[in-house]
Amino acid sequence: MPPRPIVLYKLCLSLVDDDFFKEPMKKRRRSDRDQRFRAFPSVEQSTLKEYEKLESRTRRVLSNTYQKLIQSVFLDDSIPNGVKYLINRLLALIEKPSLDPIYIGFFGSTGAGKSSLINAIIQQAMFLPVSGESICTSCIVQVSSGCCEQYEAKIHLLSNQEWKQELKNLTKLLHRPEQLGREEEDAWDRDDAVEEAIWKLQMVYGNGVERKSYEELLRAKPKGKIPTSRVITLKAEEAGELSLKLDPYIRTQRRGWDEGSAETQIWPLIKLVEVTLPKSELIPEGIVLVDIPGTGDFNSKRDEMWRKTIDKCSVIWLISDIERVSGGRAHEDLLNESIKACQRGFCRDMALVVTKTDKLHLPEYLRERKVGSQAIQSQREAVLERNEMIKLQRNKVLKEKLKRKLPTDSRVLEDSELVYTVSAQEYWQQALLTEEETEIPKLREYIRRRLLDKKRRMVTKYVTEAFGLFLLTDSFSCTDNLQNEHLHVSGLRRFVEEKIQLLEKAIDQCFAHIVQPLQEGVQNARSSYRQILGVCLVRSRGNQGFHQTLKAVCLKNGIYASRTLGRIDLNEAITQPIYEQIDPVFGGIFRSGKPSDGSALMPHIDAFKRSLQEKMTEIGIRNGWKYDSYKKSFLIQEISAILGGLEGHILRKKRRIYESLSTSVQNDLKPCYEEAAQITGKKACERMKDVLRRGLDQQVDEGMFERAQERMQHQFHQLKAVPS
C-alpha cells in the first residue's frame, strides 16, 4: 500500500536540508513576518502566520526537490522529456509570486475627500495633500506598505515622446483663429480647454509661452529639472519628511497663483506616483490604495493609464461628499464608470463611501426632519441619525442600479453593506463622533478581510499544486518511469487539444445569448444617436467657452477629460443604448455561477475540467493505476493548472470584448473628428458641430452600429484562440 498523503507530505518535508532551517535566518525571517502582520489583530495574525509557514515550507521543499533533480541529471547527455517537464513545472511554481496585489480604487471627483480618507486609513494626517484653495492630486497616486526601512515615493514622468505628443495637441488648441468677432474672442478666452492648455504650458515653460509654436516649444527649456530616467525617487526616515518632499509634485495650483517651486513646475509631466510605507501597522503588505482622479486626462498616455488603473482594481470605492451624494451628473458619471469596471475589468466588489459626514446644519436639519418621534438632543445625535438614513436610502438606490446592470448572482449584490458614512476630520478630532462611528476602522477591517480571504485561497491552491508534483516525484523510481509518465502527460495535453472543441461550442452558445440584446441595442442606437449627439454638443451659454473644448474632443478622437465639464466621451455616449441592452447578459457570460440556461462561460470550463478528470480516472484504471493514486492525483492536478490558465486568458480578454463597441465607433468616426479638428475661423464651433452631425449620419447610414456588432462578435470568437 502506498503511504497516505499526509505521510508522503512529511516524507517530502524530510528531503529539506538542515541548512534551510539554521536559526539566524529563521529568526530574521520570523521577525520580518511579524512586522508585516502588525496590521492584523492577534487572532488574524496567527492565521496569517500559519498560511505563511505552510507556504514557506512548501517553497523550500520545491526548491530542494528542484536542486536535487538538477544535480541528478547534470552529467546526462540527454535529459528525458519527462524530467524536463517536471523540472519546468517545479521552476514555474517556485517563481510564482506569493500574492498578487489587491488594488482598492478610491474613485471620486476633485474635493470629494479621497486623499483625506487615505490619510486617515494609513494613520498619517496630511500625508497626501488635501483640497483647500488649490486643486490637489489629479494624477494617479498609489499607496502601499512593504518591507523597506524608509518611506519612499517614485514619481513617474511622461516619456519625451509622450510629452511631445501632448505639446503638439496643446499648441493646436492654442492656435487663435484670425478675424474673430468680439463675442467669439471672449468665448475663446473663457474656453475650459484653452485655460488648461495655457496653464500647463506656463507651469512647465513660464509666462508667455502660450504664444509660441510647437517647434519653438521643442527648443524651449523647462523651468524644472527633468531626469533622463523620467523617474524621480524620494526617500525619508519619517512620514512627515516624505510628505513635505512629495507635496509639490502632486499638489497642483490654480492659475494666477505664484509660480511655486521647481517641483511644482513639472506637475503636467507626472503620470503616476507610487508611495511605499515601511511596515505599516494599519495597511497590510499586499494592499494597494489607489487615489484615482474622476475624469481621466487630456494626455493620451495618462488617460490610458487612468482607464487601466480602474480596470485592475478588484475593489472600487466610489467616494462622494455628503453634499453631492444625492444626485448630480458628476456623481452619476462616476457611478456608471465604476459599474463598467465590474463589467470589463477585474472588479468584483464596490461600495459607496460618503465622506465629510460630520457636516450638518442642525437648525435646517431639524426643520426638514420627517422621521422618528424621538427628539434630537444634540448635533451628534442628528449626525448619526442622518448618516443612518443616508445608508438606507443610498444602499437601496445603489443595489437597484447594480441589479439592472449586473448578473443576479454577482458578489457585490450579496453584500448587505454597500454604503459607508465616514468622516476623516472627526477621526482625528473626535469632537462629535467616536473613532468607531467615523467608520474608518470598518474600512480597515474590510481591507484585512479581503487580504485574508485571498491569502487563504492562494495558499490552498499553491500547496495543492505543489502536492501533485511531490506525488509525481515520489512515484518515480527511475528515468524510464519518468519517460513513461511524460507519455501520460503528453497524452493528456493531446486530449485537451482535441476536447477544446467543446469550449469553442460553449463560446458560440454563450454569444448566442447576447445576439438579440445586441440587435435591439443597435436599433435603439440608430433611433437615438442624433438626440444623444445633440445633448453632448450643448453647453451653457451656447458656444461660449466651448469652442476649443470641442476642438480638444475632436483632437482626441471623441474623448476629452475636462476639469469643469467632466469627462466627455462621444463614442461611449453614442453606443450607450447598446450597452444598456447587453450589460446584464454580458456580465452573466463571465460570472462564476451556474445558470441553467448555459449563458455563463466559466461553468462550461468547470464541466470540461470535470469531464477530463473523469477521463483520466478511466485511463488510470486501464493503465493499472488502481493502486497508484499518485499518478492519478498528479494528472488531475495538471488539468486544473492547464485550465486555470485558460480562465485567466478569458478574463483578460473580457475588457477588449466589452470595449469593442465604442472602439469600433471611434475608429469609424475618426475621419470626422480629424476634419472637425482642422476647422478654424468664424463660426468654427458651429461648423465643427455640422461636420460631426453629417459625418455621424453618413456612418450610421453605412452601417456603423452593425459593424460594431460584428466586431464584438469577432472579439468573442477570438476567445477560441486560446494560448498554448
Side-chain angles (χ1 to χ4, degrees), residues 113-161:
K114 302 186 296 295
S115 298
S116 297
L117 183 56
I118 291 176
N119 288 341
I121 290 175
I122 66 176
Q123 191 75 19
Q124 297 288 347
M126 304 302 292
F127 182 73
L128 297 178
V130 298
S131 298
E133 292 300 319
S134 61
I135 300 171
C136 288
T137 47
S138 58
C139 62
I140 296 169
V141 179
Q142 297 183 175
V143 180
S144 61
S145 66
C147 295
C148 56
E149 296 297 327
Q150 293 180 303
Y151 291 85
E152 182 177 302
K154 287 187 177 180
I155 300 162
H156 301 266
L157 307 180
L158 295 172
S159 69
N160 190 46
Q161 191 59 39

Short mmCIF file of all heavy atoms in Angstrom, two decimals, residues 113-161:
data_model
loop_
_atom_site.label_atom_id
_atom_site.label_comp_id
_atom_site.label_asym_id
_atom_site.label_seq_id
_atom_site.Cartn_x
_atom_site.Cartn_y
_atom_site.Cartn_z
N GLY A 113 -12.72 64.11 -1.12
CA GLY A 113 -12.13 63.65 0.13
C GLY A 113 -11.34 62.35 0.01
O GLY A 113 -11.12 61.66 1.01
N LYS A 114 -10.89 62.02 -1.21
CA LYS A 114 -10.15 60.77 -1.42
C LYS A 114 -8.84 60.77 -0.63
O LYS A 114 -8.52 59.81 0.09
CB LYS A 114 -9.86 60.56 -2.91
CG LYS A 114 -11.09 60.52 -3.80
CD LYS A 114 -10.75 60.17 -5.22
CE LYS A 114 -9.87 61.21 -5.89
NZ LYS A 114 -10.52 62.52 -6.06
N SER A 115 -8.06 61.84 -0.79
CA SER A 115 -6.76 61.90 -0.12
C SER A 115 -6.92 61.95 1.40
O SER A 115 -6.16 61.30 2.14
CB SER A 115 -5.98 63.13 -0.60
OG SER A 115 -5.73 63.04 -1.99
N SER A 116 -7.90 62.70 1.89
CA SER A 116 -8.15 62.76 3.33
C SER A 116 -8.51 61.38 3.88
O SER A 116 -8.09 61.00 4.98
CB SER A 116 -9.28 63.75 3.63
OG SER A 116 -8.94 65.06 3.25
N LEU A 117 -9.30 60.63 3.11
CA LEU A 117 -9.70 59.29 3.54
C LEU A 117 -8.49 58.35 3.60
O LEU A 117 -8.33 57.59 4.56
CB LEU A 117 -10.77 58.75 2.59
CG LEU A 117 -11.35 57.37 2.93
CD1 LEU A 117 -11.93 57.35 4.33
CD2 LEU A 117 -12.41 56.99 1.90
N ILE A 118 -7.65 58.40 2.57
CA ILE A 118 -6.44 57.56 2.58
C ILE A 118 -5.55 57.93 3.75
O ILE A 118 -5.00 57.06 4.44
CB ILE A 118 -5.69 57.69 1.24
CG1 ILE A 118 -6.50 57.05 0.11
CG2 ILE A 118 -4.31 57.04 1.32
CD1 ILE A 118 -5.89 57.21 -1.27
N ASN A 119 -5.38 59.23 4.01
CA ASN A 119 -4.57 59.68 5.14
C ASN A 119 -5.08 59.09 6.46
O ASN A 119 -4.30 58.67 7.32
CB ASN A 119 -4.57 61.20 5.23
CG ASN A 119 -3.76 61.85 4.13
OD1 ASN A 119 -2.91 61.21 3.50
ND2 ASN A 119 -4.01 63.12 3.88
N ALA A 120 -6.41 59.08 6.62
CA ALA A 120 -6.99 58.55 7.86
C ALA A 120 -6.78 57.04 7.97
O ALA A 120 -6.45 56.52 9.03
CB ALA A 120 -8.47 58.89 7.94
N ILE A 121 -6.95 56.34 6.86
CA ILE A 121 -6.81 54.88 6.88
C ILE A 121 -5.38 54.47 7.22
O ILE A 121 -5.16 53.52 7.97
CB ILE A 121 -7.25 54.28 5.52
CG1 ILE A 121 -8.77 54.41 5.37
CG2 ILE A 121 -6.84 52.82 5.41
CD1 ILE A 121 -9.29 53.97 4.02
N ILE A 122 -4.39 55.22 6.69
CA ILE A 122 -2.99 54.86 6.97
C ILE A 122 -2.46 55.54 8.23
O ILE A 122 -1.29 55.40 8.57
CB ILE A 122 -2.08 55.21 5.77
CG1 ILE A 122 -2.00 56.73 5.55
CG2 ILE A 122 -2.54 54.50 4.51
CD1 ILE A 122 -1.04 57.14 4.45
N GLN A 123 -3.34 56.29 8.91
CA GLN A 123 -3.00 56.94 10.18
C GLN A 123 -1.86 57.96 10.00
O GLN A 123 -0.94 58.05 10.80
CB GLN A 123 -2.61 55.88 11.22
CG GLN A 123 -2.48 56.37 12.66
CD GLN A 123 -3.82 56.63 13.32
OE1 GLN A 123 -4.84 56.13 12.85
NE2 GLN A 123 -3.85 57.41 14.38
N GLN A 124 -1.94 58.75 8.93
CA GLN A 124 -0.93 59.78 8.68
C GLN A 124 -1.65 61.06 8.24
O GLN A 124 -1.91 61.26 7.06
CB GLN A 124 0.06 59.34 7.59
CG GLN A 124 0.88 58.11 7.93
CD GLN A 124 1.92 58.40 9.00
OE1 GLN A 124 2.21 59.54 9.32
NE2 GLN A 124 2.50 57.34 9.54
N ALA A 125 -1.97 61.92 9.20
CA ALA A 125 -2.70 63.15 8.88
C ALA A 125 -1.88 64.02 7.93
O ALA A 125 -0.68 64.21 8.13
CB ALA A 125 -3.00 63.92 10.17
N MET A 126 -2.51 64.52 6.88
CA MET A 126 -1.90 65.44 5.92
C MET A 126 -0.74 64.80 5.16
O MET A 126 0.11 65.50 4.61
CB MET A 126 -1.43 66.72 6.62
CG MET A 126 -2.51 67.44 7.39
SD MET A 126 -3.93 67.92 6.34
CE MET A 126 -3.15 69.16 5.30
N PHE A 127 -0.69 63.47 5.09
CA PHE A 127 0.40 62.83 4.35
C PHE A 127 0.28 63.12 2.86
O PHE A 127 1.23 63.57 2.22
CB PHE A 127 0.38 61.32 4.60
CG PHE A 127 1.49 60.58 3.92
CD1 PHE A 127 2.79 60.68 4.39
CD2 PHE A 127 1.25 59.79 2.81
CE1 PHE A 127 3.83 60.01 3.77
CE2 PHE A 127 2.28 59.10 2.18
CZ PHE A 127 3.57 59.22 2.67
N LEU A 128 -0.89 62.86 2.29
CA LEU A 128 -1.17 63.29 0.92
C LEU A 128 -1.84 64.66 1.00
O LEU A 128 -2.63 64.92 1.91
CB LEU A 128 -2.10 62.31 0.21
CG LEU A 128 -1.57 60.89 -0.01
CD1 LEU A 128 -2.64 60.04 -0.69
CD2 LEU A 128 -0.30 60.89 -0.82
N PRO A 129 -1.54 65.57 0.07
CA PRO A 129 -2.16 66.90 0.12
C PRO A 129 -3.66 66.81 -0.05
O PRO A 129 -4.16 66.00 -0.83
CB PRO A 129 -1.52 67.63 -1.06
CG PRO A 129 -1.05 66.56 -1.98
CD PRO A 129 -0.66 65.41 -1.10
N VAL A 130 -4.38 67.61 0.71
CA VAL A 130 -5.84 67.60 0.65
C VAL A 130 -6.32 68.92 0.08
O VAL A 130 -5.63 69.93 0.11
CB VAL A 130 -6.46 67.36 2.04
CG1 VAL A 130 -6.04 66.01 2.56
CG2 VAL A 130 -6.04 68.44 3.02
N SER A 131 -7.53 68.92 -0.46
CA SER A 131 -8.06 70.08 -1.14
C SER A 131 -8.34 71.22 -0.18
O SER A 131 -9.07 71.06 0.79
CB SER A 131 -9.36 69.71 -1.87
OG SER A 131 -9.13 68.74 -2.83
N GLY A 132 -7.74 72.35 -0.45
CA GLY A 132 -8.07 73.57 0.27
C GLY A 132 -8.50 74.57 -0.77
O GLY A 132 -9.49 74.41 -1.44
N GLU A 133 -7.67 75.60 -0.97
CA GLU A 133 -7.95 76.56 -2.01
C GLU A 133 -7.29 76.16 -3.33
O GLU A 133 -7.36 76.87 -4.32
CB GLU A 133 -7.43 77.95 -1.60
CG GLU A 133 -8.20 78.55 -0.44
CD GLU A 133 -9.67 78.72 -0.76
OE1 GLU A 133 -9.99 79.13 -1.89
OE2 GLU A 133 -10.50 78.43 0.11
N SER A 134 -6.59 75.02 -3.34
CA SER A 134 -5.92 74.58 -4.56
C SER A 134 -6.45 73.23 -4.99
O SER A 134 -6.95 72.46 -4.20
CB SER A 134 -4.40 74.47 -4.33
OG SER A 134 -4.13 73.52 -3.32
N ILE A 135 -6.33 72.98 -6.30
CA ILE A 135 -6.68 71.67 -6.82
C ILE A 135 -5.55 70.73 -6.47
O ILE A 135 -4.39 71.03 -6.69
CB ILE A 135 -6.86 71.73 -8.36
CG1 ILE A 135 -7.97 72.71 -8.72
CG2 ILE A 135 -7.18 70.36 -8.92
CD1 ILE A 135 -8.06 72.99 -10.20
N CYS A 136 -5.89 69.57 -5.92
CA CYS A 136 -4.82 68.70 -5.42
C CYS A 136 -4.51 67.57 -6.38
O CYS A 136 -4.30 67.79 -7.55
CB CYS A 136 -5.19 68.19 -4.04
SG CYS A 136 -5.06 69.51 -2.82
N THR A 137 -4.49 66.35 -5.88
CA THR A 137 -3.97 65.24 -6.65
C THR A 137 -4.83 64.95 -7.87
O THR A 137 -5.92 64.41 -7.75
CB THR A 137 -3.91 63.98 -5.77
OG1 THR A 137 -5.15 63.84 -5.08
CG2 THR A 137 -2.80 64.10 -4.75
N SER A 138 -4.32 65.29 -9.06
CA SER A 138 -5.03 64.97 -10.29
C SER A 138 -4.28 63.94 -11.10
O SER A 138 -4.69 63.61 -12.21
CB SER A 138 -5.27 66.23 -11.12
OG SER A 138 -4.03 66.84 -11.41
N CYS A 139 -3.18 63.41 -10.57
CA CYS A 139 -2.53 62.25 -11.16
C CYS A 139 -2.86 61.04 -10.28
O CYS A 139 -3.34 61.19 -9.16
CB CYS A 139 -1.01 62.44 -11.27
SG CYS A 139 -0.18 62.68 -9.68
N ILE A 140 -2.61 59.87 -10.79
CA ILE A 140 -2.88 58.66 -10.02
C ILE A 140 -1.81 58.50 -8.95
O ILE A 140 -0.62 58.60 -9.22
CB ILE A 140 -2.88 57.44 -10.95
CG1 ILE A 140 -4.03 57.56 -11.96
CG2 ILE A 140 -3.03 56.15 -10.16
CD1 ILE A 140 -3.95 56.55 -13.08
N VAL A 141 -2.24 58.25 -7.71
CA VAL A 141 -1.32 58.04 -6.59
C VAL A 141 -1.62 56.69 -5.96
O VAL A 141 -2.75 56.42 -5.56
CB VAL A 141 -1.44 59.15 -5.53
CG1 VAL A 141 -0.48 58.89 -4.38
CG2 VAL A 141 -1.18 60.52 -6.13
N GLN A 142 -0.60 55.82 -5.89
CA GLN A 142 -0.74 54.50 -5.28
C GLN A 142 0.01 54.46 -3.95
O GLN A 142 1.16 54.87 -3.88
CB GLN A 142 -0.18 53.41 -6.20
CG GLN A 142 -0.93 53.28 -7.52
CD GLN A 142 -0.42 52.16 -8.39
OE1 GLN A 142 -0.99 51.88 -9.44
NE2 GLN A 142 0.66 51.52 -7.98
N VAL A 143 -0.65 53.99 -2.91
CA VAL A 143 -0.05 53.91 -1.58
C VAL A 143 -0.10 52.46 -1.12
O VAL A 143 -1.16 51.84 -1.09
CB VAL A 143 -0.79 54.81 -0.57
CG1 VAL A 143 -0.15 54.70 0.81
CG2 VAL A 143 -0.82 56.25 -1.04
N SER A 144 1.06 51.93 -0.75
CA SER A 144 1.14 50.55 -0.27
C SER A 144 2.18 50.48 0.84
O SER A 144 2.92 51.44 1.08
CB SER A 144 1.49 49.59 -1.41
OG SER A 144 2.76 49.92 -1.96
N SER A 145 2.26 49.35 1.51
CA SER A 145 3.28 49.13 2.52
C SER A 145 4.17 47.99 2.09
O SER A 145 3.75 47.11 1.33
CB SER A 145 2.66 48.83 3.89
OG SER A 145 1.99 47.59 3.85
N GLY A 146 5.43 48.00 2.56
CA GLY A 146 6.37 46.96 2.17
C GLY A 146 7.39 46.70 3.25
O GLY A 146 7.23 47.12 4.39
N CYS A 147 8.45 46.02 2.86
CA CYS A 147 9.49 45.65 3.82
C CYS A 147 10.61 46.68 3.89
O CYS A 147 11.62 46.45 4.56
CB CYS A 147 10.08 44.29 3.43
SG CYS A 147 8.89 42.94 3.57
N CYS A 148 10.46 47.79 3.16
CA CYS A 148 11.51 48.80 3.17
C CYS A 148 11.61 49.47 4.55
O CYS A 148 10.64 49.51 5.30
CB CYS A 148 11.26 49.85 2.09
SG CYS A 148 9.65 50.64 2.21
N GLU A 149 12.77 49.99 4.85
CA GLU A 149 13.01 50.64 6.14
C GLU A 149 12.61 52.11 6.14
O GLU A 149 12.38 52.69 7.18
CB GLU A 149 14.50 50.51 6.52
CG GLU A 149 14.96 49.08 6.73
CD GLU A 149 14.24 48.40 7.89
OE1 GLU A 149 13.90 49.09 8.87
OE2 GLU A 149 14.02 47.18 7.80
N GLN A 150 12.53 52.70 4.95
CA GLN A 150 12.23 54.12 4.82
C GLN A 150 10.90 54.33 4.11
O GLN A 150 10.35 53.42 3.47
CB GLN A 150 13.35 54.83 4.05
CG GLN A 150 14.68 54.89 4.74
CD GLN A 150 15.70 55.62 3.89
OE1 GLN A 150 15.96 55.25 2.74
NE2 GLN A 150 16.28 56.68 4.43
N TYR A 151 10.40 55.55 4.21
CA TYR A 151 9.27 55.97 3.39
C TYR A 151 9.83 56.33 2.00
O TYR A 151 10.86 56.99 1.89
CB TYR A 151 8.58 57.19 4.00
CG TYR A 151 7.86 56.88 5.28
CD1 TYR A 151 8.53 56.88 6.50
CD2 TYR A 151 6.50 56.59 5.28
CE1 TYR A 151 7.87 56.60 7.69
CE2 TYR A 151 5.82 56.30 6.46
CZ TYR A 151 6.52 56.30 7.66
OH TYR A 151 5.86 56.01 8.82
N GLU A 152 9.14 55.88 0.98
CA GLU A 152 9.69 56.07 -0.37
C GLU A 152 8.59 56.42 -1.35
O GLU A 152 7.46 55.95 -1.24
CB GLU A 152 10.39 54.78 -0.83
CG GLU A 152 11.05 54.87 -2.19
CD GLU A 152 11.79 53.60 -2.56
OE1 GLU A 152 12.72 53.20 -1.80
OE2 GLU A 152 11.46 53.00 -3.60
N ALA A 153 8.92 57.28 -2.32
CA ALA A 153 7.98 57.64 -3.38
C ALA A 153 8.71 57.62 -4.71
O ALA A 153 9.83 58.13 -4.82
CB ALA A 153 7.37 59.02 -3.14
N LYS A 154 8.08 57.02 -5.71
CA LYS A 154 8.60 57.05 -7.07
C LYS A 154 7.62 57.82 -7.95
O LYS A 154 6.44 57.46 -8.03
CB LYS A 154 8.80 55.63 -7.60
CG LYS A 154 9.98 54.91 -6.98
CD LYS A 154 10.24 53.57 -7.67
CE LYS A 154 11.47 52.90 -7.07
NZ LYS A 154 11.77 51.60 -7.73
N ILE A 155 8.14 58.86 -8.59
CA ILE A 155 7.31 59.74 -9.42
C ILE A 155 7.65 59.45 -10.87
O ILE A 155 8.76 59.71 -11.33
CB ILE A 155 7.57 61.22 -9.08
CG1 ILE A 155 7.25 61.46 -7.60
CG2 ILE A 155 6.76 62.13 -9.96
CD1 ILE A 155 7.86 62.72 -7.05
N HIS A 156 6.71 58.88 -11.59
CA HIS A 156 6.92 58.50 -12.98
C HIS A 156 6.44 59.62 -13.90
O HIS A 156 5.28 60.05 -13.81
CB HIS A 156 6.18 57.20 -13.29
CG HIS A 156 6.60 56.04 -12.44
ND1 HIS A 156 7.56 55.14 -12.82
CD2 HIS A 156 6.19 55.65 -11.20
CE1 HIS A 156 7.73 54.24 -11.86
NE2 HIS A 156 6.90 54.52 -10.87
N LEU A 157 7.32 60.06 -14.80
CA LEU A 157 7.00 61.15 -15.72
C LEU A 157 6.68 60.61 -17.11
O LEU A 157 7.07 59.49 -17.47
CB LEU A 157 8.18 62.12 -15.82
CG LEU A 157 8.75 62.68 -14.51
CD1 LEU A 157 9.91 63.63 -14.80
CD2 LEU A 157 7.67 63.38 -13.70
N LEU A 158 5.98 61.42 -17.87
CA LEU A 158 5.76 61.09 -19.28
C LEU A 158 7.11 60.98 -19.98
O LEU A 158 8.05 61.71 -19.68
CB LEU A 158 4.93 62.18 -19.96
CG LEU A 158 3.48 62.38 -19.50
CD1 LEU A 158 2.90 63.62 -20.15
CD2 LEU A 158 2.63 61.16 -19.83
N SER A 159 7.19 60.04 -20.92
CA SER A 159 8.41 59.95 -21.71
C SER A 159 8.54 61.19 -22.59
O SER A 159 7.58 61.96 -22.77
CB SER A 159 8.39 58.69 -22.58
OG SER A 159 7.41 58.82 -23.60
N ASN A 160 9.72 61.38 -23.15
CA ASN A 160 9.95 62.54 -24.02
C ASN A 160 8.99 62.53 -25.20
O ASN A 160 8.43 63.56 -25.58
CB ASN A 160 11.40 62.53 -24.50
CG ASN A 160 11.77 63.83 -25.21
OD1 ASN A 160 11.47 64.91 -24.73
ND2 ASN A 160 12.41 63.70 -26.35
N GLN A 161 8.76 61.34 -25.78
CA GLN A 161 7.87 61.24 -26.92
C GLN A 161 6.43 61.51 -26.52
O GLN A 161 5.68 62.16 -27.27
CB GLN A 161 7.98 59.83 -27.54
CG GLN A 161 7.30 59.69 -28.89
CD GLN A 161 7.84 60.64 -29.93
OE1 GLN A 161 9.04 60.88 -30.00
NE2 GLN A 161 6.95 61.20 -30.75
#
